Amino acid sequence: MSYFLNRTGLRLNYDVCGEGRPVLFLHGWGMSSRVWKYQVEHLSKKFKTVTLDLRGHGGSSPSDDYTFEALAGDIKEFIEALPFGPVSLVGWSMGGSVAIMVANKFPEIVNTLVLVNTTPKFVASDGFPHGQPEAMLRRLERQIDRDLNKAMLEFCSLMFEQEGITEEVWETVALKEWPSKETLKGYLKTLADTDLRGELIKISHPTMIIHGMLDRISFHEAAVFMADRIKMVRLETHHDEGHAPFLTRPDWFNTELEGFLNEFRSYN
């Protein structure tokens, strides 16, 4: 693994594999870049795959700013410094929210956009019933304070339909070292406060939404909501999968992703 220092000295952990057009993968809340191992293994034969640990996750430094604006700035600096851009940006769950912000704030560094089990608004509200109740976030915060490891293992269990999940997949998400309580709770606050519904119509890049119909964290109705508002969009649904189809159905996921990347290989 390698490290990139942003302008404030924050150390971000990343890895690059393969050659070709760059594809940058962004993981979800509490996870790390290793969740993309099946995609790196498959796609690095034809693309330059780039995986990045968001601040406070994996091998990246913690921070006192976990807003999506700050993360978007990290990604812009990272892409321009190495340089990789423009990239095909693949974001999962919270990483998808960050990807939306990057695509709209810095459209010149993004080629195509892929949103995996993403929601524009994590918390339900009037006019948007497709999110989690705010009480769920408060309960998760209390669980993290009481027993971080137990709280995160319970959260991970929500990602999957338990039948058929392999030990390898479980160990990929059930980390031995979680982000700190402060990091996890800082991101939960951002998730509670962020509403990206107004950003959807602004997205100018070809976009694919991939979602598991049985997702218990980011509901499929949220994917349909996004697909109805993004201009150039394709929605691909796996009817038997939950929150992480790239881990539980990697062959299907990789085929869909590679097809989309090849279809828009000359865009921009």
mmCIF file of all heavy atoms in Angstrom, residues 1-4 12-18 22-27 32-41 43-44 48-54 57 59-60 75 78 82 84 87-90 246:
data_model
loop_
_atom_site.group_PDB
_atom_site.id
_atom_site.type_symbol
_atom_site.label_atom_id
_atom_site.label_comp_id
_atom_site.label_asym_id
_atom_site.label_seq_id
_atom_site.Cartn_x
_atom_site.Cartn_y
_atom_site.Cartn_z
ATOM 1 N N MET A 1 0.837 -1.195 0.000
ATOM 2 C CA MET A 1 0.000 0.000 0.000
ATOM 3 C C MET A 1 0.877 1.252 0.000
ATOM 4 O O MET A 1 2.003 1.239 0.499
ATOM 5 C CB MET A 1 -0.918 0.020 1.221
ATOM 6 C CG MET A 1 -1.803 -1.208 1.353
ATOM 7 S SD MET A 1 -2.991 -1.419 0.021
ATOM 8 C CE MET A 1 -4.237 -0.220 0.489
ATOM 9 N N SER A 2 0.350 2.335 -0.536
ATOM 10 C CA SER A 2 1.066 3.595 -0.595
ATOM 11 C C SER A 2 0.290 4.659 0.175
ATOM 12 O O SER A 2 -0.857 4.444 0.561
ATOM 13 C CB SER A 2 1.263 4.037 -2.046
ATOM 14 O OG SER A 2 1.959 3.048 -2.783
ATOM 15 N N TYR A 3 0.938 5.822 0.377
ATOM 16 C CA TYR A 3 0.301 6.896 1.117
ATOM 17 C C TYR A 3 0.392 8.209 0.353
ATOM 18 O O TYR A 3 1.405 8.503 -0.277
ATOM 19 C CB TYR A 3 0.948 7.068 2.498
ATOM 20 C CG TYR A 3 0.743 5.881 3.394
ATOM 21 C CD1 TYR A 3 1.720 4.899 3.501
ATOM 22 C CD2 TYR A 3 -0.430 5.732 4.109
ATOM 23 C CE1 TYR A 3 1.530 3.795 4.309
ATOM 24 C CE2 TYR A 3 -0.633 4.636 4.922
ATOM 25 C CZ TYR A 3 0.341 3.671 5.028
ATOM 26 O OH TYR A 3 0.159 2.574 5.824
ATOM 27 N N PHE A 4 -0.689 8.962 0.422
ATOM 28 C CA PHE A 4 -0.749 10.300 -0.156
ATOM 29 C C PHE A 4 -0.990 11.284 0.970
ATOM 30 O O PHE A 4 -1.823 11.053 1.848
ATOM 31 C CB PHE A 4 -1.891 10.370 -1.175
ATOM 32 C CG PHE A 4 -2.268 11.764 -1.577
ATOM 33 C CD1 PHE A 4 -1.465 12.492 -2.443
ATOM 34 C CD2 PHE A 4 -3.426 12.360 -1.082
ATOM 35 C CE1 PHE A 4 -1.807 13.786 -2.808
ATOM 36 C CE2 PHE A 4 -3.782 13.647 -1.452
ATOM 37 C CZ PHE A 4 -2.964 14.362 -2.317
ATOM 38 N N LEU A 12 -3.408 9.557 3.524
ATOM 39 C CA LEU A 12 -4.455 8.717 2.955
ATOM 40 C C LEU A 12 -3.840 7.472 2.329
ATOM 41 O O LEU A 12 -2.929 7.561 1.500
ATOM 42 C CB LEU A 12 -5.254 9.496 1.902
ATOM 43 C CG LEU A 12 -5.949 10.769 2.404
ATOM 44 C CD1 LEU A 12 -6.611 11.488 1.234
ATOM 45 C CD2 LEU A 12 -6.972 10.451 3.489
ATOM 46 N N ASN A 13 -4.351 6.338 2.729
ATOM 47 C CA ASN A 13 -3.855 5.046 2.268
ATOM 48 C C ASN A 13 -4.500 4.681 0.927
ATOM 49 O O ASN A 13 -5.718 4.805 0.775
ATOM 50 C CB ASN A 13 -4.208 4.000 3.327
ATOM 51 C CG ASN A 13 -3.679 2.629 3.002
ATOM 52 O OD1 ASN A 13 -2.488 2.439 2.871
ATOM 53 N ND2 ASN A 13 -4.589 1.665 2.874
ATOM 54 N N TYR A 14 -3.682 4.252 -0.040
ATOM 55 C CA TYR A 14 -4.249 3.863 -1.329
ATOM 56 C C TYR A 14 -3.433 2.750 -1.963
ATOM 57 O O TYR A 14 -2.301 2.460 -1.544
ATOM 58 C CB TYR A 14 -4.330 5.062 -2.279
ATOM 59 C CG TYR A 14 -3.004 5.500 -2.866
ATOM 60 C CD1 TYR A 14 -2.579 5.024 -4.110
ATOM 61 C CD2 TYR A 14 -2.173 6.396 -2.189
ATOM 62 C CE1 TYR A 14 -1.367 5.414 -4.649
ATOM 63 C CE2 TYR A 14 -0.964 6.793 -2.726
ATOM 64 C CZ TYR A 14 -0.562 6.302 -3.960
ATOM 65 O OH TYR A 14 0.654 6.690 -4.488
ATOM 66 N N ASP A 15 -4.002 2.156 -3.000
ATOM 67 C CA ASP A 15 -3.294 1.126 -3.751
ATOM 68 C C ASP A 15 -3.691 1.234 -5.218
ATOM 69 O O ASP A 15 -4.825 1.611 -5.537
ATOM 70 C CB ASP A 15 -3.640 -0.259 -3.214
ATOM 71 C CG ASP A 15 -2.642 -1.321 -3.662
ATOM 72 O OD1 ASP A 15 -1.504 -0.957 -4.011
ATOM 73 O OD2 ASP A 15 -2.999 -2.517 -3.665
ATOM 74 N N VAL A 16 -2.769 0.922 -6.095
ATOM 75 C CA VAL A 16 -2.989 0.954 -7.536
ATOM 76 C C VAL A 16 -2.587 -0.393 -8.107
ATOM 77 O O VAL A 16 -1.537 -0.935 -7.756
ATOM 78 C CB VAL A 16 -2.175 2.074 -8.220
ATOM 79 C CG1 VAL A 16 -2.423 2.070 -9.723
ATOM 80 C CG2 VAL A 16 -2.510 3.424 -7.625
ATOM 81 N N CYS A 17 -3.416 -0.927 -8.990
ATOM 82 C CA CYS A 17 -3.113 -2.213 -9.606
ATOM 83 C C CYS A 17 -3.552 -2.178 -11.071
ATOM 84 O O CYS A 17 -4.637 -1.691 -11.389
ATOM 85 C CB CYS A 17 -3.834 -3.328 -8.858
ATOM 86 S SG CYS A 17 -3.340 -4.994 -9.332
ATOM 87 N N GLY A 18 -2.707 -2.664 -11.959
ATOM 88 C CA GLY A 18 -3.064 -2.750 -13.368
ATOM 89 C C GLY A 18 -2.722 -1.486 -14.143
ATOM 90 O O GLY A 18 -2.217 -0.503 -13.603
ATOM 91 N N PRO A 22 -8.299 4.681 -15.561
ATOM 92 C CA PRO A 22 -8.378 4.559 -14.103
ATOM 93 C C PRO A 22 -9.812 4.434 -13.599
ATOM 94 O O PRO A 22 -10.717 5.134 -14.045
ATOM 95 C CB PRO A 22 -7.740 5.866 -13.615
ATOM 96 C CG PRO A 22 -7.998 6.845 -14.720
ATOM 97 C CD PRO A 22 -7.952 6.055 -15.988
ATOM 98 N N VAL A 23 -9.986 3.538 -12.633
ATOM 99 C CA VAL A 23 -11.260 3.343 -11.942
ATOM 100 C C VAL A 23 -10.971 3.481 -10.452
ATOM 101 O O VAL A 23 -10.202 2.704 -9.887
ATOM 102 C CB VAL A 23 -11.875 1.970 -12.239
ATOM 103 C CG1 VAL A 23 -13.251 1.859 -11.595
ATOM 104 C CG2 VAL A 23 -11.957 1.719 -13.737
ATOM 105 N N LEU A 24 -11.573 4.473 -9.822
ATOM 106 C CA LEU A 24 -11.338 4.751 -8.401
ATOM 107 C C LEU A 24 -12.530 4.262 -7.586
ATOM 108 O O LEU A 24 -13.668 4.654 -7.834
ATOM 109 C CB LEU A 24 -11.122 6.253 -8.187
ATOM 110 C CG LEU A 24 -11.007 6.751 -6.744
ATOM 111 C CD1 LEU A 24 -9.879 6.051 -5.999
ATOM 112 C CD2 LEU A 24 -10.797 8.264 -6.724
ATOM 113 N N PHE A 25 -12.254 3.414 -6.590
ATOM 114 C CA PHE A 25 -13.284 2.811 -5.757
ATOM 115 C C PHE A 25 -13.303 3.463 -4.375
ATOM 116 O O PHE A 25 -12.257 3.604 -3.727
ATOM 117 C CB PHE A 25 -13.023 1.310 -5.595
ATOM 118 C CG PHE A 25 -13.162 0.509 -6.852
ATOM 119 C CD1 PHE A 25 -12.073 0.332 -7.704
ATOM 120 C CD2 PHE A 25 -14.374 -0.071 -7.190
ATOM 121 C CE1 PHE A 25 -12.199 -0.416 -8.865
ATOM 122 C CE2 PHE A 25 -14.503 -0.826 -8.355
ATOM 123 C CZ PHE A 25 -13.416 -0.997 -9.193
ATOM 124 N N LEU A 26 -14.505 3.819 -3.897
ATOM 125 C CA LEU A 26 -14.699 4.422 -2.583
ATOM 126 C C LEU A 26 -15.588 3.508 -1.740
ATOM 127 O O LEU A 26 -16.710 3.186 -2.138
ATOM 128 C CB LEU A 26 -15.347 5.804 -2.710
ATOM 129 C CG LEU A 26 -14.629 6.820 -3.608
ATOM 130 C CD1 LEU A 26 -15.428 8.128 -3.650
ATOM 131 C CD2 LEU A 26 -13.209 7.073 -3.117
ATOM 132 N N HIS A 27 -15.107 3.138 -0.572
ATOM 133 C CA HIS A 27 -15.817 2.196 0.296
ATOM 134 C C HIS A 27 -16.876 2.905 1.139
ATOM 135 O O HIS A 27 -17.036 4.127 1.094
ATOM 136 C CB HIS A 27 -14.820 1.478 1.207
ATOM 137 C CG HIS A 27 -14.064 2.416 2.117
ATOM 138 N ND1 HIS A 27 -14.604 2.918 3.280
ATOM 139 C CD2 HIS A 27 -12.821 2.957 2.019
ATOM 140 C CE1 HIS A 27 -13.735 3.725 3.867
ATOM 141 N NE2 HIS A 27 -12.647 3.770 3.113
ATOM 142 N N SER A 32 -13.167 -0.407 4.695
ATOM 143 C CA SER A 32 -11.881 0.017 4.145
ATOM 144 C C SER A 32 -11.821 -0.394 2.686
ATOM 145 O O SER A 32 -12.723 -1.070 2.169
ATOM 146 C CB SER A 32 -10.711 -0.612 4.916
ATOM 147 O OG SER A 32 -10.558 -1.978 4.560
ATOM 148 N N SER A 33 -10.741 -0.030 2.024
ATOM 149 C CA SER A 33 -10.613 -0.295 0.588
ATOM 150 C C SER A 33 -10.510 -1.779 0.269
ATOM 151 O O SER A 33 -10.697 -2.179 -0.883
ATOM 152 C CB SER A 33 -9.385 0.444 0.040
ATOM 153 O OG SER A 33 -8.212 0.053 0.730
ATOM 154 N N ARG A 34 -10.252 -2.605 1.274
ATOM 155 C CA ARG A 34 -10.105 -4.027 0.973
ATOM 156 C C ARG A 34 -11.417 -4.684 0.551
ATOM 157 O O ARG A 34 -11.407 -5.803 0.022
ATOM 158 C CB ARG A 34 -9.485 -4.762 2.158
ATOM 159 C CG ARG A 34 -10.396 -4.976 3.349
ATOM 160 C CD ARG A 34 -9.666 -5.767 4.415
ATOM 161 N NE ARG A 34 -10.539 -6.194 5.488
ATOM 162 C CZ ARG A 34 -10.182 -7.089 6.404
ATOM 163 N NH1 ARG A 34 -8.978 -7.630 6.364
ATOM 164 N NH2 ARG A 34 -11.020 -7.437 7.360
ATOM 165 N N VAL A 35 -12.547 -4.024 0.775
ATOM 166 C CA VAL A 35 -13.824 -4.623 0.354
ATOM 167 C C VAL A 35 -13.889 -4.801 -1.161
ATOM 168 O O VAL A 35 -14.712 -5.574 -1.655
ATOM 169 C CB VAL A 35 -15.038 -3.797 0.832
ATOM 170 C CG1 VAL A 35 -15.064 -3.697 2.341
ATOM 171 C CG2 VAL A 35 -15.071 -2.416 0.191
ATOM 172 N N TRP A 36 -13.031 -4.094 -1.895
ATOM 173 C CA TRP A 36 -13.070 -4.149 -3.358
ATOM 174 C C TRP A 36 -12.144 -5.212 -3.944
ATOM 175 O O TRP A 36 -11.815 -5.175 -5.130
ATOM 176 C CB TRP A 36 -12.687 -2.790 -3.932
ATOM 177 C CG TRP A 36 -13.591 -1.678 -3.526
ATOM 178 C CD1 TRP A 36 -13.299 -0.644 -2.680
ATOM 179 C CD2 TRP A 36 -14.944 -1.473 -3.952
ATOM 180 N NE1 TRP A 36 -14.389 0.191 -2.552
ATOM 181 C CE2 TRP A 36 -15.410 -0.280 -3.319
ATOM 182 C CE3 TRP A 36 -15.814 -2.160 -4.802
ATOM 183 C CZ2 TRP A 36 -16.699 0.213 -3.524
ATOM 184 C CZ3 TRP A 36 -17.088 -1.673 -4.994
ATOM 185 C CH2 TRP A 36 -17.524 -0.498 -4.350
ATOM 186 N N LYS A 37 -11.740 -6.191 -3.151
ATOM 187 C CA LYS A 37 -10.711 -7.140 -3.610
ATOM 188 C C LYS A 37 -11.139 -7.936 -4.847
ATOM 189 O O LYS A 37 -10.316 -8.197 -5.740
ATOM 190 C CB LYS A 37 -10.320 -8.087 -2.476
ATOM 191 C CG LYS A 37 -11.433 -8.972 -1.962
ATOM 192 C CD LYS A 37 -10.909 -9.849 -0.823
ATOM 193 C CE LYS A 37 -11.980 -10.817 -0.333
ATOM 194 N NZ LYS A 37 -11.425 -11.671 0.750
ATOM 195 N N TYR A 38 -12.405 -8.307 -4.945
ATOM 196 C CA TYR A 38 -12.846 -9.075 -6.113
ATOM 197 C C TYR A 38 -12.869 -8.207 -7.366
ATOM 198 O O TYR A 38 -12.663 -8.702 -8.479
ATOM 199 C CB TYR A 38 -14.227 -9.665 -5.876
ATOM 200 C CG TYR A 38 -14.281 -10.654 -4.731
ATOM 201 C CD1 TYR A 38 -15.296 -10.599 -3.795
ATOM 202 C CD2 TYR A 38 -13.312 -11.647 -4.583
ATOM 203 C CE1 TYR A 38 -15.369 -11.504 -2.740
ATOM 204 C CE2 TYR A 38 -13.360 -12.549 -3.537
ATOM 205 C CZ TYR A 38 -14.390 -12.474 -2.615
ATOM 206 O OH TYR A 38 -14.445 -13.371 -1.575
ATOM 207 N N GLN A 39 -13.130 -6.918 -7.207
ATOM 208 C CA GLN A 39 -13.135 -6.013 -8.352
ATOM 209 C C GLN A 39 -11.699 -5.735 -8.816
ATOM 210 O O GLN A 39 -11.434 -5.715 -10.019
ATOM 211 C CB GLN A 39 -13.841 -4.705 -7.991
ATOM 212 C CG GLN A 39 -15.350 -4.834 -7.900
ATOM 213 C CD GLN A 39 -15.813 -5.799 -6.814
ATOM 214 O OE1 GLN A 39 -15.487 -5.591 -5.647
ATOM 215 N NE2 GLN A 39 -16.554 -6.827 -7.174
ATOM 216 N N VAL A 40 -10.788 -5.546 -7.871
ATOM 217 C CA VAL A 40 -9.383 -5.327 -8.228
ATOM 218 C C VAL A 40 -8.843 -6.547 -8.969
ATOM 219 O O VAL A 40 -8.187 -6.441 -10.015
ATOM 220 C CB VAL A 40 -8.543 -5.019 -6.977
ATOM 221 C CG1 VAL A 40 -7.060 -5.024 -7.310
ATOM 222 C CG2 VAL A 40 -8.943 -3.675 -6.381
ATOM 223 N N GLU A 41 -9.126 -7.726 -8.428
ATOM 224 C CA GLU A 41 -8.635 -8.961 -9.036
ATOM 225 C C GLU A 41 -9.108 -9.106 -10.476
ATOM 226 O O GLU A 41 -8.342 -9.516 -11.365
ATOM 227 C CB GLU A 41 -9.108 -10.144 -8.187
ATOM 228 C CG GLU A 41 -8.676 -11.502 -8.699
ATOM 229 C CD GLU A 41 -9.224 -12.614 -7.827
ATOM 230 O OE1 GLU A 41 -9.081 -12.538 -6.595
ATOM 231 O OE2 GLU A 41 -9.812 -13.563 -8.382
ATOM 232 N N LEU A 43 -10.828 -6.564 -12.560
ATOM 233 C CA LEU A 43 -10.739 -5.417 -13.461
ATOM 234 C C LEU A 43 -9.306 -4.953 -13.722
ATOM 235 O O LEU A 43 -9.057 -4.291 -14.730
ATOM 236 C CB LEU A 43 -11.561 -4.258 -12.906
ATOM 237 C CG LEU A 43 -13.078 -4.458 -12.938
ATOM 238 C CD1 LEU A 43 -13.773 -3.364 -12.142
ATOM 239 C CD2 LEU A 43 -13.596 -4.477 -14.362
ATOM 240 N N SER A 44 -8.378 -5.262 -12.824
ATOM 241 C CA SER A 44 -7.002 -4.788 -13.021
ATOM 242 C C SER A 44 -6.325 -5.446 -14.215
ATOM 243 O O SER A 44 -5.239 -5.021 -14.629
ATOM 244 C CB SER A 44 -6.171 -5.026 -11.757
ATOM 245 O OG SER A 44 -6.084 -6.412 -11.470
ATOM 246 N N LYS A 48 -6.756 0.374 -14.794
ATOM 247 C CA LYS A 48 -5.953 0.764 -13.639
ATOM 248 C C LYS A 48 -6.917 0.913 -12.462
ATOM 249 O O LYS A 48 -7.689 1.875 -12.399
ATOM 250 C CB LYS A 48 -5.220 2.086 -13.888
ATOM 251 C CG LYS A 48 -4.293 2.514 -12.735
ATOM 252 C CD LYS A 48 -3.835 3.956 -12.886
ATOM 253 C CE LYS A 48 -3.027 4.178 -14.135
ATOM 254 N NZ LYS A 48 -1.686 3.545 -14.046
ATOM 255 N N THR A 49 -6.918 -0.028 -11.550
ATOM 256 C CA THR A 49 -7.819 0.032 -10.404
ATOM 257 C C THR A 49 -7.133 0.764 -9.253
ATOM 258 O O THR A 49 -5.985 0.469 -8.907
ATOM 259 C CB THR A 49 -8.251 -1.367 -9.946
ATOM 260 O OG1 THR A 49 -7.106 -2.134 -9.573
ATOM 261 C CG2 THR A 49 -9.020 -2.078 -11.048
ATOM 262 N N VAL A 50 -7.849 1.701 -8.675
ATOM 263 C CA VAL A 50 -7.310 2.526 -7.587
ATOM 264 C C VAL A 50 -8.271 2.413 -6.409
ATOM 265 O O VAL A 50 -9.461 2.694 -6.543
ATOM 266 C CB VAL A 50 -7.184 4.012 -8.009
ATOM 267 C CG1 VAL A 50 -6.484 4.816 -6.922
ATOM 268 C CG2 VAL A 50 -6.453 4.133 -9.342
ATOM 269 N N THR A 51 -7.767 1.985 -5.267
ATOM 270 C CA THR A 51 -8.583 1.893 -4.065
ATOM 271 C C THR A 51 -8.018 2.845 -3.018
ATOM 272 O O THR A 51 -6.806 2.959 -2.861
ATOM 273 C CB THR A 51 -8.616 0.462 -3.516
ATOM 274 O OG1 THR A 51 -7.279 -0.017 -3.326
ATOM 275 C CG2 THR A 51 -9.358 -0.461 -4.477
ATOM 276 N N LEU A 52 -8.907 3.506 -2.298
ATOM 277 C CA LEU A 52 -8.514 4.557 -1.362
ATOM 278 C C LEU A 52 -9.254 4.376 -0.045
ATOM 279 O O LEU A 52 -10.469 4.143 -0.039
ATOM 280 C CB LEU A 52 -8.853 5.929 -1.965
ATOM 281 C CG LEU A 52 -8.582 7.173 -1.126
ATOM 282 C CD1 LEU A 52 -7.085 7.414 -1.001
ATOM 283 C CD2 LEU A 52 -9.262 8.395 -1.748
ATOM 284 N N ASP A 53 -8.537 4.467 1.070
ATOM 285 C CA ASP A 53 -9.169 4.490 2.386
ATOM 286 C C ASP A 53 -9.565 5.932 2.708
ATOM 287 O O ASP A 53 -8.702 6.817 2.773
ATOM 288 C CB ASP A 53 -8.206 3.997 3.473
ATOM 289 C CG ASP A 53 -7.975 2.499 3.426
ATOM 290 O OD1 ASP A 53 -8.822 1.784 2.877
ATOM 291 O OD2 ASP A 53 -6.939 2.042 3.952
ATOM 292 N N LEU A 54 -10.850 6.164 2.900
ATOM 293 C CA LEU A 54 -11.311 7.496 3.284
ATOM 294 C C LEU A 54 -10.744 7.869 4.652
ATOM 295 O O LEU A 54 -10.458 6.990 5.475
ATOM 296 C CB LEU A 54 -12.837 7.533 3.307
ATOM 297 C CG LEU A 54 -13.528 7.198 1.985
ATOM 298 C CD1 LEU A 54 -15.033 7.148 2.180
ATOM 299 C CD2 LEU A 54 -13.150 8.193 0.895
ATOM 300 N N HIS A 57 -10.457 5.812 8.085
ATOM 301 C CA HIS A 57 -10.730 4.405 7.794
ATOM 302 C C HIS A 57 -9.457 3.697 7.354
ATOM 303 O O HIS A 57 -8.556 4.322 6.772
ATOM 304 C CB HIS A 57 -11.770 4.263 6.685
ATOM 305 C CG HIS A 57 -13.147 4.697 7.057
ATOM 306 N ND1 HIS A 57 -13.531 6.015 7.074
ATOM 307 C CD2 HIS A 57 -14.243 3.981 7.427
ATOM 308 C CE1 HIS A 57 -14.810 6.094 7.434
ATOM 309 N NE2 HIS A 57 -15.265 4.871 7.647
ATOM 310 N N GLY A 59 -6.045 2.411 6.667
ATOM 311 C CA GLY A 59 -4.745 2.948 7.030
ATOM 312 C C GLY A 59 -4.643 4.453 6.943
ATOM 313 O O GLY A 59 -3.544 5.008 7.050
ATOM 314 N N SER A 60 -5.759 5.153 6.728
ATOM 315 C CA SER A 60 -5.739 6.611 6.585
ATOM 316 C C SER A 60 -5.890 7.308 7.935
ATOM 317 O O SER A 60 -6.540 6.793 8.847
ATOM 318 C CB SER A 60 -6.851 7.079 5.637
ATOM 319 O OG SER A 60 -6.605 6.626 4.322
ATOM 320 N N ILE A 75 -10.250 13.772 -2.409
ATOM 321 C CA ILE A 75 -10.231 12.990 -3.645
ATOM 322 C C ILE A 75 -9.757 13.837 -4.812
ATOM 323 O O ILE A 75 -8.995 13.367 -5.671
ATOM 324 C CB ILE A 75 -11.627 12.390 -3.895
ATOM 325 C CG1 ILE A 75 -11.913 11.346 -2.803
ATOM 326 C CG2 ILE A 75 -11.733 11.769 -5.276
ATOM 327 C CD1 ILE A 75 -13.351 10.972 -2.664
ATOM 328 N N PHE A 78 -6.017 14.106 -4.478
ATOM 329 C CA PHE A 78 -5.425 12.800 -4.747
ATOM 330 C C PHE A 78 -5.354 12.525 -6.249
ATOM 331 O O PHE A 78 -4.306 12.145 -6.784
ATOM 332 C CB PHE A 78 -6.260 11.735 -4.034
ATOM 333 C CG PHE A 78 -5.884 10.317 -4.347
ATOM 334 C CD1 PHE A 78 -4.680 9.789 -3.934
ATOM 335 C CD2 PHE A 78 -6.765 9.497 -5.053
ATOM 336 C CE1 PHE A 78 -4.339 8.472 -4.206
ATOM 337 C CE2 PHE A 78 -6.441 8.189 -5.333
ATOM 338 C CZ PHE A 78 -5.228 7.677 -4.912
ATOM 339 N N LEU A 82 -1.484 12.602 -8.453
ATOM 340 C CA LEU A 82 -0.747 11.393 -8.837
ATOM 341 C C LEU A 82 -0.259 11.333 -10.287
ATOM 342 O O LEU A 82 0.874 10.835 -10.476
ATOM 343 C CB LEU A 82 -1.572 10.166 -8.463
ATOM 344 C CG LEU A 82 -1.621 9.945 -6.942
ATOM 345 C CD1 LEU A 82 -2.390 8.695 -6.594
ATOM 346 C CD2 LEU A 82 -0.249 9.916 -6.312
ATOM 347 N N PHE A 84 -4.257 10.811 -11.984
ATOM 348 C CA PHE A 84 -5.035 9.716 -12.550
ATOM 349 C C PHE A 84 -6.104 10.188 -13.525
ATOM 350 O O PHE A 84 -6.476 9.474 -14.426
ATOM 351 C CB PHE A 84 -5.760 8.943 -11.435
ATOM 352 C CG PHE A 84 -4.861 8.139 -10.566
ATOM 353 C CD1 PHE A 84 -4.957 8.234 -9.192
ATOM 354 C CD2 PHE A 84 -3.923 7.283 -11.105
ATOM 355 C CE1 PHE A 84 -4.136 7.472 -8.372
ATOM 356 C CE2 PHE A 84 -3.091 6.527 -10.290
ATOM 357 C CZ PHE A 84 -3.202 6.617 -8.923
ATOM 358 N N VAL A 87 -11.308 10.022 -13.821
ATOM 359 C CA VAL A 87 -11.495 8.645 -13.399
ATOM 360 C C VAL A 87 -12.949 8.231 -13.556
ATOM 361 O O VAL A 87 -13.856 9.061 -13.548
ATOM 362 C CB VAL A 87 -11.078 8.447 -11.926
ATOM 363 C CG1 VAL A 87 -9.631 8.848 -11.701
ATOM 364 C CG2 VAL A 87 -12.010 9.211 -10.978
ATOM 365 N N SER A 88 -13.155 6.935 -13.683
ATOM 366 C CA SER A 88 -14.477 6.368 -13.448
ATOM 367 C C SER A 88 -14.580 6.172 -11.947
ATOM 368 O O SER A 88 -13.732 5.520 -11.338
ATOM 369 C CB SER A 88 -14.639 5.040 -14.190
ATOM 370 O OG SER A 88 -14.666 5.249 -15.579
ATOM 371 N N LEU A 89 -15.589 6.766 -11.340
ATOM 372 C CA LEU A 89 -15.699 6.816 -9.886
ATOM 373 C C LEU A 89 -16.792 5.851 -9.429
ATOM 374 O O LEU A 89 -17.950 5.984 -9.823
ATOM 375 C CB LEU A 89 -16.017 8.244 -9.452
ATOM 376 C CG LEU A 89 -15.876 8.617 -7.982
ATOM 377 C CD1 LEU A 89 -14.491 8.288 -7.452
ATOM 378 C CD2 LEU A 89 -16.178 10.101 -7.796
ATOM 379 N N VAL A 90 -16.390 4.877 -8.606
ATOM 380 C CA VAL A 90 -17.315 3.863 -8.109
ATOM 381 C C VAL A 90 -17.435 4.029 -6.600
ATOM 382 O O VAL A 90 -16.450 3.867 -5.880
ATOM 383 C CB VAL A 90 -16.825 2.433 -8.438
ATOM 384 C CG1 VAL A 90 -17.837 1.390 -7.953
ATOM 385 C CG2 VAL A 90 -16.560 2.280 -9.927
ATOM 386 N N PHE A 246 -21.292 -6.570 -4.636
ATOM 387 C CA PHE A 246 -19.951 -6.718 -5.219
ATOM 388 C C PHE A 246 -19.131 -7.763 -4.460
ATOM 389 O O PHE A 246 -18.144 -8.278 -4.981
ATOM 390 C CB PHE A 246 -19.213 -5.370 -5.223
ATOM 391 C CG PHE A 246 -19.116 -4.724 -3.884
ATOM 392 C CD1 PHE A 246 -18.019 -4.923 -3.082
ATOM 393 C CD2 PHE A 246 -20.142 -3.915 -3.418
ATOM 394 C CE1 PHE A 246 -17.935 -4.334 -1.831
ATOM 395 C CE2 PHE A 246 -20.074 -3.315 -2.185
ATOM 396 C CZ PHE A 246 -18.970 -3.528 -1.375
#
